Amino acid sequence: MRSPRMVTFYLVLVICSSEAMLSTPAEPIVHPSILREHELAGEELLRPKRAVAVGDPVAEEYMVDIEISFENVSFLESIRAHLNSLSFPIQGNGTDILSIAMTTVCTPAGNDLLCFCEKGYQWPEERCLHSLTCQEHDSALPGSYCSCLKGLPPQGPFCQLPEAYIALKIKVRLNIGFQEDLKNTSSALYRSYKTDLERAFQAGYKTLPGFRSVTVTQFTKGSVVVDYVVRVKSPPLPGSIHKANEQVIQNLNQTYKMDYNSFQGASSNETKFTVIPEFIFEGDNVTLECETEFVTSNTSWYYGEKRSDIQNSNKFSIHTTVNNISLVTRLTIYNFTQHDAGMYGCNVTLDIFEFGTVRKLDVTPIRILAKEERKVVCDNNPISLNCCSENIANWSKIEWKQQGKISIVGNPDTDLESSCSTYTLRADGTQCPSGSSGTTVIYTCEFVSAYGARGSKDIAVTFTSVGDNSSYKGEVTEVLRHVMEVSTVQSTTRNSLETSKTQEQQANLTITPDPISVSEGQSFSITCLSDVSSFDEVYWNTSAGIKIHPRFYTMRRYQDGAESVLTVKTSTREWNGTYHCIFRYKNSYSIATKDVTVHPLPLASDIMMDPLEASGLCTSSHQFKCCVEEDAGENYTVTFHVDSSSFPAEREVIGKQACYKYSLPANSPRWCPKDIAVFCHFTNAANSSVQSPSMKLKLVPGENITCRDPIIGIGEPGKVIQKLCQFSSVSGSPGQTIGGTVTYKCVGSQWKEESRACISAPINGLLQLAKTLIKSPSQDQKLPTYLRDLSVSAGKEEQDIRSSPGSLGAIISILDLLSTVPTQVNSEMMRDILATINVILDKSTLNSWDKLLQQQSNQGSQFLHSVERFSQALQLGDSTLPFLLHPNVQMKSMVIKRGHPQIYQQKFIFADSDLWGDVAIDECQLGNLQPDSSIVTVAFPTLKAILAQDAQRKTSSNSLVMTTTISHNIVKPFRISMTFKNNHHLGGKPQCVFWNFSLANNTGGWDSSGCIVEDDGRDSRDRVFCKCNHLTSFSILMSPDSPDPGSLLKILLDIISYIGLGFSIVSLAACLVVEAMVWKSVTKNRTSYMRHICIVNIAFCLLIADIWFIVAGAIHDGRYPLNETACVAATFFIHFFYLSVFFWMLTLGLMLFYRLIFILHDASKSTQKAFAFSLGYGCPLIISSITVGVTQPQEVYMRKNACWLNWEDTRALLAFAIPALIIVVVNVSITVVVITKILRPSIGDKPGKQEKSSLFQISKSIGVLTPLLGLTWGFGLATVIQGSNAVFHIIFTLLNAFQGLFILLFGCLWDQKVQEALLHKFSLSRWSSQHSKSTSIGSSTPVFSMSSPISRRFNNLFGKTGTYNVSTPETTSSSVENSSSAYSLLN
């Protein structure tokens, strides 16, 4: 019993534990004990709070309630002071204390114990309702929170942090007269009104989610205006307030005359408003963010005092995100200028409420300080150019650019914190020879803010060559004269003018003499010859000093010289200019120049045509149009070619496009119907030309035309046409070019849109730039800027990417193109790449991915390949980016340093997707890597759903895809370990796989080669541990089609297979031996002969197939890679011999059919044998050979984990299943016909008695063998179906394993003649005298005699009795058969 004279207080500790606390029970048990003064022990209440990390060990966060009691009141303040002086976290051995807070203090007051809440804490509402409160200390309204209780609640809880709620202030009008008593809160009228209204409000608003209470606050005039407050824990949903108001009206007495239309929510300015950046510079992209707890789709932005609405445009972008917690609407203003300054506001409307706020935005101009003119002497001494910004800003970078006739590149040194940059030049004589003395080069320093603002300053630098001094003039003149004698064109040889290097060997260069003038899209080459073979470096650059990438030129040395050839396969306008071929030997430079002229000419793929295909009336004219990007100053000569005629085109400029039109006049109806092909022909000033693809027009009379549209055209029902989005009914911004196509179909009398693959104008522009960039001479220099622009555009066009597979596909194509640029990727470039990837892999884009993959199935594989190329090109160096984290993609990396290598281990956690994974490479593997190699791992939570669209159809469990690359070459095998979270807990076999880009005709697919699942000693229910011997993109698959190797089902199937195959092989061998022994006795007529030919071949083929089956099992034991050549051979022979079994069954059936139906036609034995062997072996050979020939070159003939026909990639298994099932159906049909024929013999159709016995045995064999073989492979196909029952696996294995035994029993030993022959061969001599013309079978018979129970049922089917009399056969005119005596059978 707690003494009322004692002071008690309660603490809440938040602790974090990684080990010890994991086993602590989470059940809260309250048994507070009294701590006497100076005692240090206490009773704790432990309750888990949350996991703060995912991994091993798992760090858990707990809250602990502690009660401390003492008698000395002054001790309380000292404890308070001590707690306030602590700094957190307090670290311990495996457990950290994150915070300690005093929540509740209980002090004696007379005979009562008053329990107060500390500042910031409250008693929960249920405690205030069911406990005695301290009235003199609490002024809270009844039913709300309180801060003091009389006595401590026996079962807790203690004081807690106040529960957050939302107060909705609402007004409503009562159409009745106002009375003054309504102003007096103590009047009976006021209390009556308040009680009735609150009861009605309670009944109406209790439907709101998280409803807590409603309180009438006042009555005012205006009839009667009721002010009240509704408190809810969560924001109301759209429409819920209106429904609640309706309930209020229904629950309120009608005498109050409440006006439903007068409900009005009080306006609120509590909306959170954020401006990024805080200080705005001219050119910044400014983002305004408005956040509210009220979730609604009715949001808007306005500008200025007149509250002008802001809409999405090139200037503004509005993006609203709605979730269960809040609504966030963002307004992005691009390229903010002084004109854009002013008031901006957001408005959020939810039913009767309106929320919002305003903010005034000001803009600051960027001011750059620098000395605007400098003079520099080219004496190789360093000169510094300095520029600084007056503005204190978060500059992202400072760039230096130059423009002039000569190129002298310096080294920048930037200090972003001080907002200054220094550019150091070191010019020598080779860079500014005497001929260019006095040349001025403009150097520009440009400051770039983190939000896009740019401010620059130009510095004019005049270079003076040291060659202007008298001591150098004669030498320079002699050098120039020598160059003019050697070169036949504008070639110049320049030597280093340093006096210490005048004796060094000089190179005379000769460059391609012919003038180079080409058109866009054409190729050209420049050959540069040197008469000296010794040099240190050869390179090419432009007149602006930009180095050409080495991929464009080659270098060859000869004994007496050298040659460098610059080759451009597809020229663009960027190649227009002067190029320098430079041979450097130590500090001596030999330079030859060449001018290249590139004339504008559109590529055929860039010509936009309308229509692509169309139908038209013969009696109408038809317009054709070809559009290209407008070239300033370039007028093409354009003609339209219709059949063999050409016509000039009319030019029209529409926005940024130049369109050329031609109108085809109406034709005479007698020319209908007619197909016309039209193309446009462009010729430029250099007389080069290009023609567009053909536009197809079908002229029709018009009787069946039902669909008519001024843009799409006309068409008959079912007609499908395709149009460029630019010329379709798809809306786009005026003057901008959108890409892609849209497909229409004529349905009824209207054109219906079948599919749309349009590309928005900004993304289409970037796609065209990407195609140009990869052909640019300075592609590596332009790539960083382009990637930054791509990430910005992807963010702006996020909504379009979600809805348009065309825009999504364009970005994938862009990434694929850019990843082929042979340059190193730095951390900033990778940041932009991942920002773009984050947009296109968002869950909201998966619908666009589905549509895109239906059109182009390789897009997911293409995207993944480009990401691997980017990550492999990433060079981190000293500016290591340890990680880049986005919701839809994460990247982590490490640089291999010299010395003892560390373990590479990275973990990825995607909380939103409930996925995690880690990757590890041990130090042994890392020790084999080159120093400074970069290891990069990129993880994707949503890519698995995209790649699951492949043809493998495996069960795609929700798991990460992790791509690991290394920048330098690795030695294989290279071991890597990964752990994936397993979200597929119920059933299924986990399989470690990688993405093989070469599968399925290079569209890619999951492959398990080189990867295995291992047990890492931890709980495997929620994780899968993988080990692979190579690098690429990895994930896991769950395949229910294959039993778990350790499962009872797998063990049972193996036992059945081994035992059954043993029986089958022995039985088949016995069958062949028996046939050999009785051959002469059972093949006396033609029918019997062919029957036993078929049985022997069926047994032989199945025996060989079973042997190869065992060979295939020995080749692959499930843990090591397949021996591919042996596996291909095993698969081929198993396929061939199993097919042969079925085709010999077909031969058997057809022979029986022929013998009964075509009885008057008697083919020779040799003819029947030739037919049988051609069908039995020829057809299987053709089918199996075609199958291996078609699929093996693409390496999709076999399965990846077994020597058998592929099912996942090519469905090659159908090359066996389809013929087998067709033969089963045919044989069953033949059996039905034969039985019918025997039961109802026609006059003249009765064959000889002995042949009839043979036919009878054949029908038995067909009737038994065909269902067995057919059902076997029918169940086999059932096991291929995903999720098939284990029963199918067992039945398939059982029947397939015992096939040989079935053939021995039903195909061989059940034959009456075989039994008689065997009895005759093994009978004792005393039995040989017992012959009779007619033998009656007694009651005791062998199991295979015709009077046995099994045979009796079959005999009854033919109308026979339980006995079968055997006599000498009849002799016919066509054939004479030896009779066989009947033997008594052994008892």
Side-chain angles (χ1 to χ4, degrees), residues 1333-1364:
K1333 293 291 182 179
S1334 177
T1335 301
S1336 179
I1337 305 299
S1339 60
S1340 179
T1341 58
V1343 68
F1344 293 110
S1345 70
M1346 292 310 297
S1347 58
S1348 68
I1350 299 175
S1351 298
R1352 192 178 299 120
R1353 294 190 187 96
F1354 209 90
N1355 293 333
N1356 290 338
L1357 178 65
F1358 290 85
K1360 303 292 183 181
T1361 63
T1363 61
Y1364 188 79

Side-chain angles (χ1 to χ4, degrees), residues 112-381:
D112 295 327
L113 187 67
L114 302 184
C115 293
F116 294 87
C117 295
E118 289 289 283
K119 185 178 180 181
Y121 289 83
Q122 294 177 343
W123 287 106
E125 182 180 353
E126 59 270 21
R127 291 294 97 210
C128 298
L129 289 173
H130 300 97
S131 304
L132 292 175
T133 61
C134 315
Q135 298 295 337
E136 63 273 20
H137 298 283
D138 272 316
S139 58
L141 294 171
S144 61
Y145 298 95
C146 54
S147 60
C148 178
L149 291 182
K150 287 184 178 180
L152 187 70
Q155 298 299 326
F158 306 135
C159 294
Q160 297 178 347
L161 291 170
E163 185 180 25
Y165 64 88
I166 301 170
L168 305 175
K169 299 179 181 179
I170 308 177
K171 294 183 178 182
V172 66
R173 187 176 67 251
L174 307 179
N175 292 325
I176 56 177
F178 184 85
Q179 301 180 46
E180 291 299 319
D181 281 351
L182 291 177
K183 293 182 179 180
N184 183 4
T185 57
S186 61
S187 69
L189 184 64
Y190 180 94
R191 291 197 300 269
S192 175
Y193 270 52
K194 178 180 172 68
T195 302
D196 292 345
L197 289 169
E198 284 184 348
R199 185 181 295 112
F201 290 147
Q202 181 88 13
Y205 294 112
K206 68 181 181 182
T207 59
L208 298 180
F211 171 77
R212 304 296 293 176
S213 64
V214 59
T215 306
V216 174
T217 57
Q218 68 175 0
F219 299 95
T220 56
K221 291 183 178 180
S223 296
V224 176
V225 178
V226 184
D227 291 356
Y228 59 101
V229 178
V230 180
R231 292 179 175 84
V232 291
K233 292 182 65 175
S234 58
L237 300 174
S240 60
I241 295 293
H242 287 313
K243 293 180 180 179
N245 290 342
E246 293 174 359
Q247 292 296 320
V248 170
I249 298 291
Q250 294 176 10
N251 286 279
L252 184 63
N253 194 310
Q254 298 300 316
T255 58
Y256 282 95
K257 298 181 180 180
M258 182 176 284
D259 186 359
Y260 175 80
N261 296 319
S262 66
F263 282 97
Q264 180 182 353
S267 61
S268 170
N269 291 322
E270 296 177 356
T271 305
K272 182 180 177 182
F273 196 99
T274 308
V275 179
I276 302 174
E278 185 177 0
F279 300 99
I280 303 172
F281 294 102
E282 282 191 279
D284 269 335
N285 295 329
V286 180
T287 300
L288 312 182
E289 188 176 279
C290 196
E291 183 176 1
T292 178
E293 295 178 322
F294 296 88
V295 178
T296 177
S297 59
N298 194 354
T299 62
S300 61
W301 288 86
Y302 56 89
Y303 167 73
E305 298 294 336
K306 296 182 179 179
R307 297 171 66 97
S308 303
D309 282 344
I310 297 175
Q311 303 292 335
N312 278 312
S313 63
N314 293 335
K315 185 69 178 177
F316 302 101
S317 174
I318 299 175
H319 180 69
T320 302
T321 303
V322 178
N323 54 46
N324 294 330
I325 301 175
S326 63
L327 175 143
V328 179
T329 177
R330 295 182 182 88
L331 169 65
T332 303
I333 309 170
Y334 301 110
N335 192 21
F336 202 95
T337 64
Q338 290 285 357
H339 179 72
D340 299 317
M343 302 294 296
Y344 288 83
C346 70
N347 192 56
V348 179
T349 303
L350 174 65
D351 293 349
I352 61 175
F353 295 95
E354 185 175 359
F355 309 93
T357 186
V358 295
R359 183 73 60 87
K360 184 179 181 181
L361 303 186
D362 296 317
V363 63
T364 303
I366 299 177
R367 297 184 179 89
I368 309 298
L369 302 178
K371 187 176 180 179
E372 298 183 1
E373 294 183 357
R374 294 291 301 272
K375 291 186 178 180
V376 176
V377 178
C378 299
D379 56 1
N380 206 29
N381 289 321

